Amino acid sequence: MSITAGSYTFGPDSGRLLIHTTRTGLGAKAGHDLTIEVTRWSGDATIDTAAPANSSLTIEIDPGSLEVRTGTGGIKPLTDSDREEIERIIREKILNTGRHPAITFRSTRVDGTAESFHIEGDLTIAGVTRLVTVQGLFADDRVRGSAAIVQSRWGIRPYSAFFGALKLNDEVEVRFDVGLAAKD
């Protein structure tokens, strides 16, 4: 089945939005590579299969809804209290969700085909807006893709511990896998 022109909505009920982090530094063995899921988010897409440049995408994320799903590597397994502490640090120190209650993406350019596309758009994180490129594909009634986010471009200092010996890489990967529901 191929995608048809129209307006669509999507969110956590139709797919997943995941953030993948990796670690670096002399103390990297002590930390974990994380998979963090966004649990409250929504998106709207208008797809014009005849003229992809007329297509558009908007997504809104509740940054307070990030939940650590897995942590791989590390000297010891990630505990529930580790997860809670990481989530608290993300909310309070990294994303400052009290002052910035939403992360938004609004497309500015769409090209490619319905099966393989690139979307450029404005991503606003913690009050800072920068251009980002999303790469995706449509297959098996699902839209899948990813974007690389370099945290420092948004003024975010990657998390570090142990006096900087353990830190997250500046670049994180955002991946999505969603089904589209036609708007009523």
Side-chain angles (χ1 to χ4, degrees), residues 76-90:
K76 61 184 182 88
L78 198 63
T79 66
D80 288 342
S81 65
D82 291 337
R83 283 183 176 81
E84 290 170 9
E85 178 67 8
I86 292 166
E87 291 165 4
R88 184 190 66 74
I89 290 168
I90 290 169

PDB file of all heavy atoms in Angstrom, residues 76-90:
ATOM      1  N   LYS A  76      27.190  -1.308  36.184  1.00  0.00           N
ATOM      2  CA  LYS A  76      26.076  -1.979  36.844  1.00  0.00           C
ATOM      3  C   LYS A  76      24.790  -1.638  36.108  1.00  0.00           C
ATOM      4  O   LYS A  76      24.717  -0.618  35.424  1.00  0.00           O
ATOM      5  CB  LYS A  76      25.996  -1.582  38.321  1.00  0.00           C
ATOM      6  CG  LYS A  76      25.776  -0.119  38.568  1.00  0.00           C
ATOM      7  CD  LYS A  76      25.816   0.213  40.051  1.00  0.00           C
ATOM      8  CE  LYS A  76      25.551   1.677  40.282  1.00  0.00           C
ATOM      9  NZ  LYS A  76      24.181   2.034  40.427  1.00  0.00           N
ATOM     10  N   PRO A  77      23.776  -2.478  36.235  1.00  0.00           N
ATOM     11  CA  PRO A  77      22.510  -2.220  35.540  1.00  0.00           C
ATOM     12  C   PRO A  77      21.859  -0.920  36.029  1.00  0.00           C
ATOM     13  O   PRO A  77      22.055  -0.504  37.168  1.00  0.00           O
ATOM     14  CB  PRO A  77      21.639  -3.423  35.901  1.00  0.00           C
ATOM     15  CG  PRO A  77      22.587  -4.465  36.399  1.00  0.00           C
ATOM     16  CD  PRO A  77      23.769  -3.746  36.957  1.00  0.00           C
ATOM     17  N   LEU A  78      21.090  -0.322  35.153  1.00  0.00           N
ATOM     18  CA  LEU A  78      20.328   0.881  35.477  1.00  0.00           C
ATOM     19  C   LEU A  78      19.193   0.502  36.421  1.00  0.00           C
ATOM     20  O   LEU A  78      18.435  -0.429  36.145  1.00  0.00           O
ATOM     21  CB  LEU A  78      19.769   1.465  34.176  1.00  0.00           C
ATOM     22  CG  LEU A  78      19.299   2.898  34.154  1.00  0.00           C
ATOM     23  CD1 LEU A  78      20.473   3.840  34.443  1.00  0.00           C
ATOM     24  CD2 LEU A  78      18.711   3.227  32.798  1.00  0.00           C
ATOM     25  N   THR A  79      19.070   1.198  37.539  1.00  0.00           N
ATOM     26  CA  THR A  79      18.015   0.907  38.520  1.00  0.00           C
ATOM     27  C   THR A  79      16.836   1.859  38.321  1.00  0.00           C
ATOM     28  O   THR A  79      16.939   2.864  37.606  1.00  0.00           O
ATOM     29  CB  THR A  79      18.542   1.082  39.958  1.00  0.00           C
ATOM     30  OG1 THR A  79      18.847   2.472  40.156  1.00  0.00           O
ATOM     31  CG2 THR A  79      19.769   0.214  40.223  1.00  0.00           C
ATOM     32  N   ASP A  80      15.715   1.551  38.971  1.00  0.00           N
ATOM     33  CA  ASP A  80      14.559   2.444  38.915  1.00  0.00           C
ATOM     34  C   ASP A  80      14.903   3.817  39.472  1.00  0.00           C
ATOM     35  O   ASP A  80      14.481   4.836  38.933  1.00  0.00           O
ATOM     36  CB  ASP A  80      13.374   1.844  39.680  1.00  0.00           C
ATOM     37  CG  ASP A  80      12.752   0.666  38.938  1.00  0.00           C
ATOM     38  OD1 ASP A  80      12.997   0.526  37.711  1.00  0.00           O
ATOM     39  OD2 ASP A  80      12.026  -0.120  39.578  1.00  0.00           O
ATOM     40  N   SER A  81      15.691   3.863  40.547  1.00  0.00           N
ATOM     41  CA  SER A  81      16.053   5.170  41.111  1.00  0.00           C
ATOM     42  C   SER A  81      16.989   5.919  40.160  1.00  0.00           C
ATOM     43  O   SER A  81      16.915   7.149  40.071  1.00  0.00           O
ATOM     44  CB  SER A  81      16.656   5.035  42.506  1.00  0.00           C
ATOM     45  OG  SER A  81      17.879   4.358  42.467  1.00  0.00           O
ATOM     46  N   ASP A  82      17.853   5.203  39.414  1.00  0.00           N
ATOM     47  CA  ASP A  82      18.687   5.846  38.396  1.00  0.00           C
ATOM     48  C   ASP A  82      17.791   6.494  37.330  1.00  0.00           C
ATOM     49  O   ASP A  82      18.008   7.636  36.929  1.00  0.00           O
ATOM     50  CB  ASP A  82      19.605   4.839  37.689  1.00  0.00           C
ATOM     51  CG  ASP A  82      20.701   4.272  38.577  1.00  0.00           C
ATOM     52  OD1 ASP A  82      21.067   4.917  39.577  1.00  0.00           O
ATOM     53  OD2 ASP A  82      21.180   3.165  38.246  1.00  0.00           O
ATOM     54  N   ARG A  83      16.784   5.739  36.873  1.00  0.00           N
ATOM     55  CA  ARG A  83      15.860   6.249  35.857  1.00  0.00           C
ATOM     56  C   ARG A  83      15.164   7.516  36.346  1.00  0.00           C
ATOM     57  O   ARG A  83      15.080   8.510  35.623  1.00  0.00           O
ATOM     58  CB  ARG A  83      14.802   5.198  35.508  1.00  0.00           C
ATOM     59  CG  ARG A  83      15.271   4.100  34.610  1.00  0.00           C
ATOM     60  CD  ARG A  83      14.087   3.161  34.280  1.00  0.00           C
ATOM     61  NE  ARG A  83      14.464   2.148  33.353  1.00  0.00           N
ATOM     62  CZ  ARG A  83      15.101   1.025  33.687  1.00  0.00           C
ATOM     63  NH1 ARG A  83      15.426   0.783  34.934  1.00  0.00           N
ATOM     64  NH2 ARG A  83      15.413   0.137  32.755  1.00  0.00           N
ATOM     65  N   GLU A  84      14.657   7.462  37.575  1.00  0.00           N
ATOM     66  CA  GLU A  84      13.959   8.619  38.143  1.00  0.00           C
ATOM     67  C   GLU A  84      14.886   9.825  38.244  1.00  0.00           C
ATOM     68  O   GLU A  84      14.475  10.953  37.943  1.00  0.00           O
ATOM     69  CB  GLU A  84      13.382   8.271  39.523  1.00  0.00           C
ATOM     70  CG  GLU A  84      12.232   7.302  39.456  1.00  0.00           C
ATOM     71  CD  GLU A  84      11.824   6.762  40.823  1.00  0.00           C
ATOM     72  OE1 GLU A  84      12.311   7.262  41.860  1.00  0.00           O
ATOM     73  OE2 GLU A  84      11.005   5.820  40.847  1.00  0.00           O
ATOM     74  N   GLU A  85      16.125   9.608  38.636  1.00  0.00           N
ATOM     75  CA  GLU A  85      17.086  10.705  38.760  1.00  0.00           C
ATOM     76  C   GLU A  85      17.419  11.292  37.393  1.00  0.00           C
ATOM     77  O   GLU A  85      17.481  12.517  37.229  1.00  0.00           O
ATOM     78  CB  GLU A  85      18.363  10.222  39.464  1.00  0.00           C
ATOM     79  CG  GLU A  85      19.442  11.281  39.594  1.00  0.00           C
ATOM     80  CD  GLU A  85      19.080  12.429  40.526  1.00  0.00           C
ATOM     81  OE1 GLU A  85      18.041  12.382  41.223  1.00  0.00           O
ATOM     82  OE2 GLU A  85      19.848  13.407  40.547  1.00  0.00           O
ATOM     83  N   ILE A  86      17.607  10.455  36.390  1.00  0.00           N
ATOM     84  CA  ILE A  86      17.893  10.930  35.034  1.00  0.00           C
ATOM     85  C   ILE A  86      16.715  11.745  34.515  1.00  0.00           C
ATOM     86  O   ILE A  86      16.896  12.833  33.958  1.00  0.00           O
ATOM     87  CB  ILE A  86      18.209   9.742  34.088  1.00  0.00           C
ATOM     88  CG1 ILE A  86      19.529   9.089  34.489  1.00  0.00           C
ATOM     89  CG2 ILE A  86      18.231  10.206  32.623  1.00  0.00           C
ATOM     90  CD1 ILE A  86      19.775   7.735  33.849  1.00  0.00           C
ATOM     91  N   GLU A  87      15.493  11.248  34.710  1.00  0.00           N
ATOM     92  CA  GLU A  87      14.304  11.964  34.253  1.00  0.00           C
ATOM     93  C   GLU A  87      14.180  13.317  34.949  1.00  0.00           C
ATOM     94  O   GLU A  87      13.830  14.320  34.319  1.00  0.00           O
ATOM     95  CB  GLU A  87      13.055  11.109  34.466  1.00  0.00           C
ATOM     96  CG  GLU A  87      13.021   9.901  33.544  1.00  0.00           C
ATOM     97  CD  GLU A  87      11.998   8.846  33.951  1.00  0.00           C
ATOM     98  OE1 GLU A  87      11.230   9.061  34.925  1.00  0.00           O
ATOM     99  OE2 GLU A  87      11.968   7.778  33.295  1.00  0.00           O
ATOM    100  N   ARG A  88      14.487  13.372  36.240  1.00  0.00           N
ATOM    101  CA  ARG A  88      14.431  14.634  36.991  1.00  0.00           C
ATOM    102  C   ARG A  88      15.460  15.616  36.441  1.00  0.00           C
ATOM    103  O   ARG A  88      15.158  16.801  36.220  1.00  0.00           O
ATOM    104  CB  ARG A  88      14.685  14.386  38.483  1.00  0.00           C
ATOM    105  CG  ARG A  88      14.531  15.655  39.336  1.00  0.00           C
ATOM    106  CD  ARG A  88      15.007  15.448  40.758  1.00  0.00           C
ATOM    107  NE  ARG A  88      16.446  15.198  40.857  1.00  0.00           N
ATOM    108  CZ  ARG A  88      17.393  16.134  40.690  1.00  0.00           C
ATOM    109  NH1 ARG A  88      17.072  17.375  40.429  1.00  0.00           N
ATOM    110  NH2 ARG A  88      18.672  15.818  40.783  1.00  0.00           N
ATOM    111  N   ILE A  89      16.682  15.146  36.175  1.00  0.00           N
ATOM    112  CA  ILE A  89      17.739  16.007  35.631  1.00  0.00           C
ATOM    113  C   ILE A  89      17.325  16.548  34.257  1.00  0.00           C
ATOM    114  O   ILE A  89      17.509  17.733  33.961  1.00  0.00           O
ATOM    115  CB  ILE A  89      19.084  15.252  35.563  1.00  0.00           C
ATOM    116  CG1 ILE A  89      19.623  15.032  36.990  1.00  0.00           C
ATOM    117  CG2 ILE A  89      20.105  15.999  34.698  1.00  0.00           C
ATOM    118  CD1 ILE A  89      20.789  14.068  37.077  1.00  0.00           C
ATOM    119  N   ILE A  90      16.746  15.693  33.422  1.00  0.00           N
ATOM    120  CA  ILE A  90      16.299  16.126  32.092  1.00  0.00           C
ATOM    121  C   ILE A  90      15.263  17.240  32.237  1.00  0.00           C
ATOM    122  O   ILE A  90      15.363  18.282  31.594  1.00  0.00           O
ATOM    123  CB  ILE A  90      15.728  14.947  31.278  1.00  0.00           C
ATOM    124  CG1 ILE A  90      16.841  13.978  30.885  1.00  0.00           C
ATOM    125  CG2 ILE A  90      14.983  15.453  30.037  1.00  0.00           C
ATOM    126  CD1 ILE A  90      16.345  12.665  30.303  1.00  0.00           C
TER     127      ILE A  90
END
